[in-house]
Amino acid sequence: MSQIVIDLKKGARINLAKKAPTLKRVRLELGWEPNTTSTGTTHDLDVTTFGLSDHRAADGTVTRTIRSQDYVVFYGNKQSLDGALVHSGDNLTGAGDKDVKEFVVVDLTTIAADIAELSVIVTIHDAIARKQNFGQISKSFIRLVNDETNEVVAKSDLEEDFSVETALQFGSLYRNEDGEWVFKLIGTGYEQGLDAFVRIYGGTPT
């Protein structure tokens, strides 16, 4: 039987329980290529995954914030303590695999029960000082891969042209009302760095 790969567009969702019911570990592969524009310094893009939980205030208001610093997984914290999230490590130059630059493996069978969402953010290291932005990056993509079989479940080429943005939210992996994992392609750019996302998600920048 031939493999069916879902091609996601911005805003699209895929219910992994329905489209890939045997999936236990999903590998979120991310790639990009610098344009020919030179800033005098190599573009160093960093992938960070934020593990978020729902917190209910006394007035009933629910906010989604970082479960713990352990669930902020990036080159400086390559694995959550429970092993549910594993980062491939920092790719300083974009060298290596001609397609995939960095990836995060998510074990859906061992992830903490109170994790409601995993937000996948890509930022440009020291973007302001280096005068770099996502307008100088092309061919950005994300692939959802079965880590056990290497089969691609879904993919997307982010076709939007960015200009001044220094961060990009590639997507969100979250639980729906039935507890099933759903991936949403976001592809939205922001003029801010990683510390700003830490604050947005209720954490304290280091």
Side-chain angles (χ1 to χ4, degrees), residues 3 5 8 25-32 47 49 86-88 97-106 120-122 139-158 170-171 173 183 185:
Q3 180 183 0
V5 179
L8 297 174
R25 291 201 309 270
V26 59
R27 188 167 70 242
L28 305 175
E29 298 182 339
L30 300 106
W32 54 80
V47 176
T49 302
V86 179
H87 191 288
S88 61
D97 188 306
K98 66 178 181 179
D99 293 323
V100 179
K101 305 304 181 186
E102 294 186 14
F103 61 85
V104 178
V105 177
V106 182
V120 183
I121 306 293
V122 179
K139 300 179 181 178
S140 298
F141 70 87
I142 185 168
R143 287 198 295 251
L144 279 67
V145 181
N146 186 324
D147 191 56
E148 296 181 304
T149 66
N150 283 324
E151 291 182 323
V152 178
V153 177
K155 64 181 180 66
S156 177
D157 297 318
L158 301 182
F170 266 65
L173 185 64
F183 179 81
L185 180 68

Side-chain angles (χ1 to χ4, degrees), residues 39-153:
T39 62
T41 307
T42 301
H43 290 74
D44 175 13
L45 275 65
D46 299 318
V47 176
T48 303
T49 302
F50 292 91
L52 310 176
S53 297
D54 289 335
H55 298 273
R56 186 178 299 276
D59 63 359
T61 303
V62 177
T63 57
R64 188 160 287 182
T65 58
I66 295 171
R67 180 182 188 268
S68 66
Q69 289 300 120
D70 167 53
Y71 259 88
V72 179
V73 175
F74 64 114
Y75 66 85
N77 177 41
K78 293 192 291 185
Q79 182 170 314
S80 58
L81 288 177
D82 58 11
L85 302 183
V86 179
H87 191 288
S88 61
D90 196 11
N91 187 325
L92 297 173
T93 64
D97 188 306
K98 66 178 181 179
D99 293 323
V100 179
K101 305 304 181 186
E102 294 186 14
F103 61 85
V104 178
V105 177
V106 182
D107 190 332
L108 302 177
T109 67
T110 62
I111 194 168
D114 62 341
I115 289 291
E117 179 182 356
L118 298 172
S119 180
V120 183
I121 306 293
V122 179
T123 53
I124 302 175
H125 177 70
D126 211 11
I128 302 302
R130 296 181 178 186
K131 298 180 180 180
Q132 295 176 344
N133 56 61
F134 272 93
Q136 300 155 357
I137 303 296
S138 63
K139 300 179 181 178
S140 298
F141 70 87
I142 185 168
R143 287 198 295 251
L144 279 67
V145 181
N146 186 324
D147 191 56
E148 296 181 304
T149 66
N150 283 324
E151 291 182 323
V152 178
V153 177

